[in-house]
Amino acid sequence: MQVDRSLITALIDAAMSADYTGVRRIGTNIAKLMAEQKDLEGAKALQTLLRKRGVPLQASGYAEALPRDAGSRLPLIEEGQWPTTPVMLSGEAEQTVSQLVEDAKNIHLLTEKGVSSQLHMLLYGPPGTGKTLLASSIAAMLQRPFYVARLDSLISSRLGETAKNIRGIFEFVPARNAVLFLDEMDAIAKLRDDRHELGELKRVVNTVLQGLDSLPNDVVTIGATNHPHLLDPAIWRRFPYKVEFELPNEDVRASLWLHFLYQDDQTRLDDAHLLARASDGLSGADIENIALAVRRRAVLGHQEPSLAQILMAVQLSRAGSPQLLKNRELDTAEKKSLSLFLHDQGRVRPGDIAEIVGVSRQMVYRYLKEAGHG
Ligand SMILES: Nc1ncnc2c1ncn2[C@@H]1O[C@H](COP(=O)(O)OP(=O)(O)O)[C@@H](O)[C@H]1O
Ligand SMILES: [Mg+2]
């Protein structure tokens, strides 16, 4: 390959600044050039390297620059990875996200015209619904490094130390063209307990407000909380973009099953929809957990788990506690219980239930009748 001086200079500059985002971007361009010049093997080797996780910041030249807790010496902020899986959102959430991304990309124009607002977005809703995943996806969409600060880990028992930690975060980030993710925002409210001096909660809330206000308006800040009602109203108002997360609806659940269980094989769409109907009330993280358990059995066992076994695990799962697969065929009581479940929750016809569960159609009618559904 011909040596391109500007690319190599840029690559070395990025490497010396421990700027993984830059290394990945320039590396991707070099791989493209290689492919154009028919060096397909070289391009492939480079792409494999680019998929590697970078060494964590602690081990790179940034170590001294990372703000740390004075007591524990633990870093207050970490660089997170760009995700490798897509995030499935409802239509409304998707609109807010694309607005934020568009505004972030055009922030200089918006500022010049005097119509910019701070790029602060709040994600709130139950655990396991994709808030952290969405935050990292936004960093990837904007090709910016992703800095994660968990507010619960910034809370110190030493008087005044919590506010100092929070200031450390806001002072560290603006210098770097980054996405700042403030996870577990509601943790601040814990300062209300009596281990802390009266007035500390107020001081810490003020520090967060000042920190948010002080950020240059091209910094994207994403806050997340599972308990929005614990959030101080003044903090709530500092986030012009808000996305409410709910447990996934049937369509989103079908996409999640198709992706995590069937690896986006479109020929499995019917099964994915059946699983979606059966899994009302489960989160994306629950569905991912069950799907991975099934695939582990398929890899390690002798045969792929049956749809009935998977549906049984789904039936026994509750939000936040997904059930693993039983490594055996269903017994009679389970067949009956699953048949009723498929009839009531899955809206499946008796003929199809018979086929899935592995009993005769007459037996399905008998189950339904015994349960008063006849
Ligand atoms: N809406 C979703 N789309 C895609 N994957 C999801 C979704 N919700 C959850 N997941 C899966 O569950 C994992 C955990 O979700 P996470 O983003 O940590 O949830 P939260 O931050 O809301 O608690 C994700 O990494 C992803 O694999
Ligand atoms: Mg999270």
Side-chain angles (χ1 to χ4, degrees):
M1 186 184 82
Q2 222 148 29
V3 178
D4 181 318
R5 196 197 289 178
S6 65
L7 270 182
I8 288 187
T9 312
L11 182 63
I12 290 178
D13 184 27
M16 297 309 282
S17 331
D19 170 8
Y20 295 126
T21 317
V23 172
R24 287 210 180 85
R25 191 184 57 241
I26 299 158
T28 307
N29 283 335
I30 294 178
K32 259 191 219 147
L33 275 179
M34 283 177 161
E36 276 165 22
Q37 294 169 14
K38 302 278 175 276
D39 180 7
L40 295 183
E41 217 167 283
K44 213 170 141 195
L46 204 52
Q47 276 156 355
T48 307
L49 277 176
L50 289 167
R51 271 197 293 273
K52 253 167 80 164
R53 286 171 155 242
V55 180
L57 278 181
Q58 286 91 309
S60 76
Y62 266 165
E64 289 79 71
L66 276 179
R68 279 164 193 274
D69 181 272
S72 68
R73 300 303 302 152
L74 291 172
L76 302 173
I77 201 164
E78 302 180 28
E79 182 165 6
Q81 301 288 324
W82 289 348
T84 48
T85 57
V87 50
M88 268 60 107
L89 296 175
S90 69
E92 199 181 329
E94 225 154 55
Q95 276 183 19
T96 312
V97 172
S98 43
Q99 233 178 66
L100 174 88
V101 169
E102 192 184 10
D103 293 356
K105 284 182 176 162
N106 296 292
I107 191 66
H108 297 297
L109 173 66
L110 297 177
T111 307
E112 195 188 297
K113 301 285 182 199
V115 292
S116 68
S117 80
Q118 282 195 304
L119 299 167
H120 297 171
M121 182 162 80
L122 190 68
L123 315 178
Y124 61 100
T129 47
K131 298 184 292 298
T132 301
L133 179 64
L134 174 63
S136 61
S137 310
I138 289 174
M141 285 182 229
L142 294 170
Q143 304 259 302
R144 294 191 191 189
F146 181 54
Y147 290 111
V148 183
R150 292 174 50 114
L151 289 205
D152 53 348
S153 72
L154 302 188
I155 289 173
S156 166
S157 52
R158 293 152 57 139
L159 187 62
E161 210 54 45
T162 306
K164 197 168 152 224
N165 283 346
I166 290 173
R167 265 197 303 281
I169 302 293
F170 286 107
E171 282 162 9
F172 170 77
V173 168
R176 300 169 174 83
N177 177 33
V179 171
L180 170 62
F181 182 47
L182 303 172
D183 207 358
E184 316 282 344
M185 292 277 292
D186 48 88
I188 301 174
K190 288 198 198 98
L191 290 170
R192 214 168 258 140
D193 74 17
D194 44 31
R195 274 195 310 117
H196 294 89
E197 184 230 3
L198 223 71
E200 179 153 35
L201 171 67
K202 213 168 160 198
R203 205 160 47 230
V204 167
V205 167
N206 276 329
T207 309
V208 173
L209 294 175
Q210 283 165 13
L212 288 169
D213 291 345
S214 73
L215 290 172
N217 69 351
D218 57 350
V219 173
V220 173
T221 307
I222 303 174
T225 174
N226 301 336
H227 308 286
H229 55 280
L230 292 180
L231 221 57
D232 190 279
I235 293 183
W236 179 262
R237 281 198 298 274
R238 291 305 199 280
F239 290 87
Y241 305 80
K242 292 187 185 67
V243 177
E244 176 170 12
F245 279 70
E246 285 167 348
L247 290 172
N249 64 27
E250 195 175 310
D251 284 343
V252 174
R253 291 197 300 276
S255 312
L256 287 161
W257 284 114
L258 194 67
H259 179 72
F260 286 117
L261 184 55
Y262 299 124
Q263 292 158 284
D264 295 314
D265 176 357
Q266 299 296 324
T267 65
R268 308 301 297 269
L269 212 56
D270 286 347
D271 289 344
H273 276 285
L274 172 60
L275 285 161
R277 290 199 298 279
S279 53
D280 189 14
L282 299 188
S283 72
D286 298 328
I287 291 175
E288 178 186 20
N289 268 314
I290 299 172
L292 287 182
V294 172
R295 285 169 56 195
R296 278 198 297 276
R297 295 277 65 79
V299 169
L300 298 178
H302 298 291
Q303 59 184 17
E304 208 175 305
S306 67
L307 189 55
Q309 283 173 305
I310 304 172
L311 284 161
M312 192 74 214
V314 170
Q315 185 187 355
L316 296 173
S317 295
R318 295 289 169 269
S321 63
Q323 294 296 306
L324 297 188
L325 225 57
K326 293 211 171 69
N327 219 354
R328 54 167 177 74
E329 286 307 314
L330 273 52
D331 63 29
T332 313
E334 287 168 339
K335 284 181 179 173
K336 178 173 177 184
S337 146
L338 181 59
S339 298
L340 295 174
F341 176 69
L342 290 176
H343 177 268
D344 295 344
Q345 175 128 356
R347 309 193 298 273
V348 185
R349 286 191 307 251
D352 294 333
I353 294 178
E355 197 177 313
I356 293 166
V357 177
V359 293
S360 69
R361 191 189 291 236
Q362 287 72 18
M363 189 61 91
V364 173
Y365 282 119
R366 199 158 100 203
Y367 290 157
L368 294 177
K369 203 165 167 194
E370 279 169 11
H373 290 303

